[in-house]
């Protein structure tokens, strides 16, 4: 009797252990935030007035000397463009998003449909948040968990250490016992409703479906062996070919893709590669996607888009010797300010008090973006103190390439999204993108532009081809060479004009690579000697795993597969 009573008392004392097994497994939740304004946009003349209509909303249109603009009520979006003969070209500016935290400008073309009507389509950057929750019962009976979040890698910061289950109430705790998520489990509906403070919303988690599993795991829970197929022709300017035609071992690449597919998703730090693409001799020969990503989705390029700033400066033929403060029309109070040039901004050697790796630095990117006293980020940067001579030392700081964009806008007197579209996007057949904007609606050139993977990869091919894309000179051959040549070092790594440089062992020698690199595992790499372009996209934001593509996969898996150099 005493033994039975002791057992009853023991079980009563551990309700969490009794409940835990029912919650183990994979869960998924997603919230869509819009934007709700999207689809067909019409601009019509109604008597002497012009009206815009989209998604059931209307607004008066301003037309002045070829410029066309309007703003919807309640800050639901706006448009600015230019009338050219039978079309209006411009950008839709969507409101600040919940996941993105930014305004975005996406390209719009309206074609003439009559004497007084133009019609086009608005396709804004999607704004959503997805969470996967993996819970497992440990050998000691406790319940462990981790969150995966493909858009922001929020689970990396949640750092769940233990799960507490008290009846229907569930808490996810960090080391300091601070709750990073808590909510209730409804056994009848099978819903786990969790409030996630950092996201400011309640997410209703359900048991993962096969579709959810295909996005959580690289390619479903039980993927089939990989079978190589040449990339599809998509009418975007990329010629396609096969690995064999390009002198790349199909067997080695097949093993490589199988390796990526088999990556165990057993923690928040597991490698999270969304896409890998390879082009050789100007042809796309590999295009593979993982974790539910697809070729049409715009992907966050993070700081890899700094290299786009370098390209745009070259395309606009802005001289690197341009004086920054003079171009911005700001009086100098320090001789070092007068000496600062665009080249210093492109090499991160401005001398300004800014450092993205120092939280206390006043020019730290997060500090600048989170403050609200100065919405003009150009002026915020120009107001920073000079702490060293320009060119003396390179320090990684995103406000520097953004300020280079400000100089470019002042010198050309153009809005940067329009300038990018005219000089880069149109000639390079980039039809869809999302340029993130500052609070003053200037393009933020410090990173974060969203591209389809095939389109962003074109930048690397264009540089390898001497600044040309399909016969059109985007930047000069000299700029293609100069902008990817070593100018300085940052934290021991060679740096060019907003391009990183690296050397790799290959076939008994060393080959030089230039690459655009962004937080999370965003890479567009060119290796001129091999006529090779490699692109990776990923979701390991703020995690050491984000460096795996360029540090491990390129030298160990891709370069050994390149068997010869002939066409």
């Amino acid at each position: 009797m005493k033994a039975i009573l002791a057992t009853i008392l023991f079980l009563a004392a551990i309700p969490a252990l009794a409940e835990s097994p029912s919650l183990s497994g994979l869960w998924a939740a997603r919230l869509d935030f819009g934007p709700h304004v999207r689809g067909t946009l019409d601009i019509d003349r109604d008597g002497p007035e012009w009206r815009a209509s989209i998604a059931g909303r209307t607004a008066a249109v301003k037309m002045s000397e070829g410029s066309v603009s309007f703003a919807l009520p309640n800050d639901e979006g706006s448009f600015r463009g230019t009338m050219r003969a039978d079309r209006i070209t411009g950008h839709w500016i969507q409101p600040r998003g919940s996941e993105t935290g930014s305004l975005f400008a996406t390209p719009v073309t309206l074609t003439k449909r009559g004497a007084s009507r133009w019609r086009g389509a608005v396709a804004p950057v999607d704004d959503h948040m997805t969470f996967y929750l993996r819970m497992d019962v440990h050998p000691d009976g406790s319940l462990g968990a981790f969150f995966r979040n493909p858009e922001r890698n929020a689970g990396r910061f949640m750092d769940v250490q233990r799960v507490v289950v008290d009846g229907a109430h569930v808490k996810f705790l960090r080391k300091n016992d601070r709750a990073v998520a808590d909510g209730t489990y409804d056994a009848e509906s099978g819903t786990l409703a969790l409030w996630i403070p950092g996201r400011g919303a309640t997410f209703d988690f359900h048991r993962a479906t096969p579709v959810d599993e295909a996005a959580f795991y690289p390619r479903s829970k039980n993927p089939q062996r990989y079978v190589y197929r040449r990339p599809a022709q998509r009418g975007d300017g990329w010629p396609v070919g096969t690995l064999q035609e390009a002198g790349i071992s199909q067997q080695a690449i097949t093993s490589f893709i199988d390796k990526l597919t088999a990556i165990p998703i057993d923690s928040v730090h597991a490698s999270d590669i969304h896409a890998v693409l390879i082009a050789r001799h100007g042809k796309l020969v590999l295009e593979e996607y993982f974790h539910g990503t697809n070729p049409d989705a715009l992907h966050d390029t993070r700081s890899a888009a700094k290299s786009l700033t370098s390209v745009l400066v070259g395309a606009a033929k802005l001289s690197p010797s341009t004086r920054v403060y003079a171009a911005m029309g700001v009086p100098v109070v320090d001789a070092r300010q007068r000496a600062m040039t665009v080249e210093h901004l492109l090499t991160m050697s401005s001398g300004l008090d800014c450092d993205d790796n120092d939280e206390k630095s006043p020019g730290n990117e997060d500090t600048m973006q989170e403050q609200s006293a100065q919405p003009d980020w150009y002026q915020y940067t120009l107001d920073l103190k000079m702490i060293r001579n320009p060119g003396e030392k390179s320090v990684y700081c995103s406000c520097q390439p953004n300020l280079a964009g400000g100089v470019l806008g002042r010198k050309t007197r153009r809005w940067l999204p329009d300038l990018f579209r005219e000089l880069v996007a149109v000639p390079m057949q980039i039809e869809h993108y999302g340029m993130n904007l500052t609070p003053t609606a200037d393009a933020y050139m410090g990173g974060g532009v969203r591209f389809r993977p095939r389109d962003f990869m074109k930048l690397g091919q264009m540089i390898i081809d001497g600044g040309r894309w399909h016969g059109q000179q985007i930047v000069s051959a000299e700029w293609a060479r100069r902008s990817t040549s070593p100018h300085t070092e940052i934290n021991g790594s060679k740096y060019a004009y907003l391009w990183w440089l690296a050397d790799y062992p290959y076939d008994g020698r060393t080959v030089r690579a230039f690459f655009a690199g962004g937080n999370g595992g965003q890479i567009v790499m060119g290796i001129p000697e091999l006529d090779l372009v490699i692109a990776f996209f990923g979701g390991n934001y703020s995690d050491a795993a984000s460096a795996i593509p360029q540090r491990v996969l390129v030298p160990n898996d891709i370069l050994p597969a390149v068997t010869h150099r002939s066409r």
Side-chain angles (χ1 to χ4, degrees), residues 317-383:
K317 298 180 174 60
L318 178 66
S319 171
S321 63
T322 302
R323 301 284 181 174
V324 173
Y325 280 80
M328 297 299 289
V330 176
V332 298
V333 296
D334 186 322
R336 293 175 295 186
Q337 293 175 330
R338 184 177 295 107
M340 187 196 302
T341 66
V342 167
E343 182 169 53
H344 295 129
L345 298 178
L346 297 178
T347 57
M348 302 276 194
S349 61
S350 66
L352 291 168
D353 189 2
C354 64
D355 185 348
D356 283 355
N357 296 313
D358 181 359
E359 294 180 356
K360 297 180 181 180
S361 171
N364 177 284
E365 182 181 36
D366 291 341
T367 300
M368 177 179 71
Q369 295 188 357
E370 291 170 5
Q371 60 83 37
S372 57
Q374 177 52 274
D376 184 339
W377 292 353
Y378 298 145
Q379 191 61 52
Y380 182 93
T381 305
L382 292 165
D383 288 341

Side-chain angles (χ1 to χ4, degrees), residues 265-293:
I265 309 302
D266 52 8
S267 83
V268 72
H269 303 292
S271 182
D272 187 14
I273 293 172
H274 293 171
V276 57
L277 301 88
I278 298 175
R280 197 167 192 218
H281 307 317
K283 292 184 178 180
L284 190 66
V285 296
L286 182 77
E287 181 183 21
E288 298 296 336
Y289 297 89
F290 309 88
H291 295 286
T293 309

Side-chain angles (χ1 to χ4, degrees), residues 393-470:
K393 179 182 179 182
S394 293
V395 178
Y396 192 85
C397 184
S398 301
C399 72
Q400 296 176 97
N402 182 57
L403 182 55
V407 175
L408 181 59
R410 291 289 198 282
K411 296 295 286 186
T412 61
R413 299 182 181 181
R414 298 286 302 279
W415 189 46
L416 293 185
D418 287 341
L419 191 67
F420 164 71
R421 185 176 186 180
E422 177 183 323
L423 299 183
V424 180
V426 170
M428 294 189 68
Q429 298 163 272
I430 300 173
E431 296 181 353
H432 191 39
Y433 53 85
M435 294 197 80
N436 47 324
L437 308 179
T438 72
T440 53
D442 296 301
Y444 181 62
M445 303 307 291
V449 183
R450 308 224 168 174
F451 283 102
R452 291 184 290 202
R454 287 170 64 132
D455 285 338
F456 193 53
M457 188 184 184
K458 292 174 182 177
L459 298 184
Q461 187 65 55
M462 179 269 293
I463 292 293
I464 277 189
D465 288 342
R468 298 174 70 83
W469 176 260
H470 287 289

